Every structure is written in structure tokens, then in C-alpha cells.
Amino acid sequence: RWKTDDPKMIVEAAVNTHVDMIKETRGIPGIQMDRWQEAHTVRHCALSLVGEPIMYPQINELLGELHERKISTFLVTNGQHPKAIEDLVPITQLYVSVDASTPESLEAVDRPLFRDAWDRLKSSLSCLKRKGQRTVARLTVVKGWNSDEIGGYARLIALGHCSLVEVKGVTFCGKSDASNLNMSNTPWHHEVVNFTKILLEELNAIREEGGDDPLPEYDLACEHKHSCSVLLARVDQFAVPDPENPSKRKWKTWIDYDRFQELAARHAADPTFKFGVEDYIADTPDWAVFGADEEGFDPTDNRHRKKKKHPKYAKFDEEGVPTHDTFNEPLPEEDISKLRIQLEEKKRQIGDDVTVTALRGGEKIIDDASLMFRGLVVIR
């Protein structure tokens, strides 16, 4: 029906273009030459942000070409093609985007092409239960659009018994005719954390209901503040007793890529060969575990800030009042009291609760007094 490119040609062109782009970065200030050299060898491929990749008629052949080159495969689908998900060969990690928790909000956020988009999404999530490899329900939180009715998200996730649940704040990329979003629709990391904790409570409630096919246990596994994202993981697939303290859990949410390639090659040679999530897991670094002081930042990397801008305040109390300065030193009580007075004045102006103002054209403006100090910066 459509003219399509050959999968081998697509992979070859993509790899060659990537290498050409990497070569052009040589000489840019701050480039680490060891990583620059390493980047010439493509090891990972994210099939995302290019439309709906699973619609490509030869998607399995394309995935096979990538695996033959020892390139891992991360595929993101919007959950509108359940049959294609069923027919998909084993890949490193399969994501289904869950952008809304009700049929109405799905229509508003995704503007789907199909009239039965809600049913298609539920069918796609149900298909994940039968996939043997890592599956992810990806939730992109957009304040004012899809951040309510968290119980609905939990019920959707329960359909697929997904290996992982990735909750991420939407990234505002500027105004455009194709989007009604603005900067106020982007949540802060602490808001994504709170959203995820409530989602976990809802999943636990469903799990306690039991039934013939009970929901597996999930828990907070990882976070990455820079990406404004939090990860829930199935305990039965990714957690083991900590050898140093058996009463605690040790997470194994990382991927053993070499092992995956071995298993994928065996399956390609013999389709009757099956393998599962636990067959290619690896230890999660301590700095990536939820609650770690590093908040997901790799301590071996140096963080560069634009124009030496740093957050004016490093920590806040539950109301949003700053408690620590830019150097993470405790603020004097007198300063905290003054800041609290400012916050109370702001609340008197706009109210205690989060307010959503719908503008002509569909845009929504979010006002929240508790965030008034969050975006302040200092030059140092």
C-alpha cells in the first residue's frame, strides 16, 4: 500500500549518518575524546519520536538487522496497534505510551486517528502480559491535562503486568501551532515523585484485591532528577535480597546488553527458544537507586550549568518554603520566616490550591504558589 525502504538500507544509512554527525563534533569545547571515539560504534537504537515505528511493515526485519550489528533495541509505541505488538520479535525493551487515564483525556492529549483509540490502548497493554522481555508503561505527566485520576492509570497498567512503569514530566520544547502546551504544564521533579508515590498506592490497592491473575508487586526503584523521571519496577523480576543486608532489597534494573544479544541471536536461529526478563538483568548502580543523594546523576560525570547559573535554593519543606541555600547549607530561621511570609502573601493572591486557567485556543495556565521559589537562580 505504501512505498517502503529496505530495512537493511535504513539501518546502514542511520548508522553512517550517526557516525558522520559524531565526527563533526570533534573540536567542540568540553568534548571527552574517549567518549567521542566510543560514540563511533553504535550500540543502542531508540525507535521513537519518528512517528509510529511499529507501523513499518518490515519492523521485525529491521530489528533483526539491528541485532545482527549487536545494537540494542528500544521501541516506543502509542498503543494503537495491538496485533503488531503481538507479532513483534523479542527486543531489548518495549514501551507503550500511556498518555491519559480516561477516554476523554486520551482524546484531548493524543488526538488519536482511530475512533476506538481507547479500546486499542487497552488491548495493546493487555498484549504486554504475553511478551517475554522487558515491557514498560510510559507515563508522561502534563500538568493540567493528564495529571488527575491516577487510579485510572493504575488500572491500565494492571492490564499488562508491565515489567516497569516509567513516569516522566513532559518537556516543554517551545510554542508551536501543533501544541497547546506552555512552561507551566511541565512538572518539577518533586511533583513527578509525588505522582508516582500515589500511583504506587493505587497499584498496591489493586494488588490487594487479588483475583485469578493478581497484579505483581511494584516498588520505587530508580529516579533521574535531570530527566524529571521516576521508575517503578516489579519486585519479582528486578529485586533480590541485599547480600550485605538481607532485610533490604537490591535492585537489578540495569541491562546486560551482551547477554541480551546472545539470547536474541539464539531466538533468531531457533524461534522455539524462549527467554525472559530475568535472563539479562544487571545490578543498578547505587547512585541511580530511588532516594540516593545523587538523585540519578552519575558521580563520574561533571555537571555543566549554562552561564554558571545555579538554583538559588537547594532544598524546600513540604509547603515549598526554601530551607537550604545554593550551597546546600541550612538557611537561618529568620530568613525562612521571611520566605514563608512571602509564600503566604502569594497564596492570598492566587489561592492555596493549584489553579488551572483555560485560555482561548485550548492553552491551560497552571498557577501554584508552592512553586514560587523553585525556579530562582544565582550566578556563581
Side-chain angles (χ1 to χ4, degrees), residues 107 126 134 183 253 295 327 334 342 354 376:
E107 182 72 26
S126 297
R134 296 164 68 110
M183 196 63 193
T253 57
E295 296 179 305
F327 298 103
E334 180 182 355
Q342 293 180 39
V354 177
L376 301 180

Side-chain angles (χ1 to χ4, degrees), residues 16 31 89 113 183 187 222 245 258 275 313 323 345 349 369 380:
N16 292 337
I31 287 288
V89 298
L113 297 176
M183 196 63 193
C222 302
N245 187 352
D258 292 336
F275 64 98
Y313 302 109
T323 59
E345 176 61 28
Q349 294 175 7
R380 60 179 177 86

Side-chain angles (χ1 to χ4, degrees), residues 128 131-137 160-165 218 232-238 277:
L128 298 186
K131 306 300 290 184
Q133 292 70 51
R134 296 164 68 110
T135 56
V136 186
H161 291 197
C162 308
S163 305
L164 304 161
V165 181
Y218 291 87
L232 295 175
R234 280 178 52 166
V235 173
D236 61 326
Q237 293 180 332
F238 297 102
V277 174

Side-chain angles (χ1 to χ4, degrees), residues 142-194:
V142 188
K143 289 170 64 176
W145 289 92
N146 66 356
S147 52
D148 299 326
E149 217 334 81
I150 299 178
Y153 285 109
R155 289 188 289 275
L156 287 174
I157 293 166
L159 294 174
H161 291 197
C162 308
S163 305
L164 304 161
V165 181
E166 180 186 283
V167 185
K168 186 181 186 304
V170 69
T171 300
F172 178 61
C173 299
K175 299 290 293 182
S176 74
D177 294 336
S179 173
N180 291 324
L181 299 186
N182 58 71
M183 196 63 193
S184 73
N185 303 132
T186 299
W188 291 82
H189 182 64
H190 75 280
E191 294 178 297
V192 174
V193 169
N194 292 337

Side-chain angles (χ1 to χ4, degrees), residues 70-258:
K70 308 299 182 187
I71 297 174
S72 68
T73 45
F74 294 79
L75 189 148
V76 184
T77 172
N78 63 8
Q80 295 298 291
H81 301 278
K83 182 61 167 62
I85 291 176
E86 281 189 358
D87 295 340
L88 201 66
V89 298
I91 62 174
T92 312
Q93 193 155 284
L94 172 62
Y95 299 79
V96 170
S97 295
V98 185
D99 295 331
S101 58
T102 66
E104 295 77 19
S105 55
L106 182 69
E107 182 72 26
V109 173
D110 279 0
R111 292 179 288 185
L113 297 176
F114 301 105
R115 292 182 179 179
D116 60 342
W118 181 250
D119 292 331
R120 285 170 173 264
L121 175 62
K122 291 195 295 182
S123 296
S124 295
L125 288 166
S126 297
C127 288
L128 298 186
K129 194 183 297 186
R130 298 184 289 275
K131 306 300 290 184
Q133 292 70 51
R134 296 164 68 110
T135 56
V136 186
R138 171 181 277 182
L139 282 62
T140 301
V141 181
V142 188
K143 289 170 64 176
W145 289 92
N146 66 356
S147 52
D148 299 326
E149 217 334 81
I150 299 178
Y153 285 109
R155 289 188 289 275
L156 287 174
I157 293 166
L159 294 174
H161 291 197
C162 308
S163 305
L164 304 161
V165 181
E166 180 186 283
V167 185
K168 186 181 186 304
V170 69
T171 300
F172 178 61
C173 299
K175 299 290 293 182
S176 74
D177 294 336
S179 173
N180 291 324
L181 299 186
N182 58 71
M183 196 63 193
S184 73
N185 303 132
T186 299
W188 291 82
H189 182 64
H190 75 280
E191 294 178 297
V192 174
V193 169
N194 292 337
F195 180 100
T196 309
K197 287 181 176 179
I198 298 172
L199 176 62
L200 179 59
E201 292 175 0
E202 295 286 350
L203 289 170
N204 285 336
I206 295 175
R207 182 170 176 266
E208 290 174 1
E209 294 174 2
D212 296 334
D213 189 17
L215 185 69
E217 181 183 2
Y218 291 87
D219 204 355
L220 293 158
C222 302
E223 66 178 321
H224 191 250
K225 186 176 182 179
H226 191 58
S227 300
C228 206
S229 61
V230 181
L231 187 72
L232 295 175
R234 280 178 52 166
V235 173
D236 61 326
Q237 293 180 332
F238 297 102
V240 297
D242 190 332
E244 298 181 2
N245 187 352
S247 64
K248 294 185 177 181
R249 287 174 178 154
K250 182 174 178 60
W251 289 104
K252 300 173 76 70
T253 57
W254 250 229
I255 297 173
D256 184 337
Y257 291 103
D258 292 336

